[in-house]
Amino acid sequence: MAEIFLFDLDREKLTPFLMKPYRDFDGEMKRQFGKKLYRLSLNGGLGCPNREGGFGGGGCIFCSGGGSGDFAAEKERSVAEQLEEAKALVAGKLPKRMPYGYVAYFQAYTGTYGPVPKLKAMFSEAMEDREVEVLSIATRPDCLPGETVELLAGLSRRKPVWVELGLQTVIPETAAFIRRGYSLSCFTEARKRLSEAGIPVIAHVILGLPGEGKEEVLKTVDYLNDQQVEGVKLQLLHILEGTDLAALYREGKIHVLSFEEYEELLFAALMRLRSETVVHRITGDGPKQLLLAPLWSGDKKRVFNRLHQDMREQGVYQGKKVKHLKEEGKS
């Protein structure tokens, strides 16, 4: 595999990624922390201003009742209790002959939508767990006031802190259709303030949004390259029961990607993505009890194996097209 990697990195940095044709989360964590890290999904019970009608009016059309945290624990339990429950769920996956640790991931709803004292107590409780190596917070760029960014910067002096921002797309018409509820400039400003505070940003991008094809996806990737985000999650659009998107799907107004269509978009995005960016996800799996479509995404292991096989057979690797664009003066 080594011969297909043309990353602008020295050999020491390249070595951990030879098994996959992209800078994957697992390899990066082993390089940074010397161990495998598992995400533990948590629910801070903070709600979301967009769902309450404050910004977009009713929330994003794809968001489920769990606030995109359907795999997180019950919010009635303390953070410490949620951590222990989440550890029990992944216990069967833990390696027997290598070190491991955890990422405390506040996934449900908007992770910074609350008063600073409450956020500080909640995040500090998670960081007190000795096995937690990283605090990761999923939130919105319009829910990061100065005092909250200052709090995160302070916490990052204890343990690494990441902020995951739901960009989804840079296309204004799509953003309006999915009721994202904030402008692209809002994301840009939030990224700038987090970067100045030393907080890495992981951007969430959805492939297969209504009306979007390869051209639109590449515009989103180009924006992220320009922003130099530290990480990205590339997510397949899922149709989940109970969402406004599900109603449109039943009316025949939403096209659902086939595996082949998704693979084409994913590979185009990966090849356009700068090689320094850590790829935290290349697809996703919705809760089986809620997933309406695409049903092929439910077989996660098979999907991953097929994607990785096809990457190798087709010579796909992260950053392949970035270098070409630079040489042509287009990037």
Side-chain angles (χ1 to χ4, degrees), residues 180-191:
R180 188 179 66 187
Y182 64 81
S183 66
L184 185 60
S185 62
C186 180
F187 186 102
T188 305
E189 176 60 25
R191 162 60 180 165

Side-chain angles (χ1 to χ4, degrees), residues 229-240:
V229 296
E230 287 77 11
V232 65
K233 285 185 175 180
L234 299 171
Q235 168 74 51
L236 166 69
L237 178 67
H238 289 112
I239 314 294
L240 300 181

Side-chain angles (χ1 to χ4, degrees), residues 153-195:
L155 292 172
S156 70
R157 290 190 280 271
R158 294 170 53 187
K159 290 182 179 181
V161 175
W162 304 335
V163 169
E164 304 197 14
L165 295 178
L167 174 65
Q168 319 312 354
T169 180
V170 298
I171 307 302
E173 295 80 8
T174 311
F177 179 78
I178 65 175
R179 299 200 306 258
R180 188 179 66 187
Y182 64 81
S183 66
L184 185 60
S185 62
C186 180
F187 186 102
T188 305
E189 176 60 25
R191 162 60 180 165
K192 179 181 178 182
R193 288 187 287 111
L194 289 166
S195 179

Side-chain angles (χ1 to χ4, degrees), residues 49 80 83 119 142 180 191 223 234 242 263 300 326 328:
L83 284 171
L119 297 178
D142 50 11
R180 188 179 66 187
R191 162 60 180 165
Y223 168 79
L234 299 171
E263 183 178 75
K300 189 174 180 179
K326 288 180 179 178
E328 297 168 8

Side-chain angles (χ1 to χ4, degrees), residues 71-90:
F71 296 107
E74 295 294 331
K75 65 181 179 180
E76 287 78 11
R77 303 185 188 279
S78 70
V79 171
E81 290 172 333
Q82 290 187 43
L83 284 171
E84 291 308 310
E85 291 177 359
K87 288 179 185 180
L89 290 175
V90 300

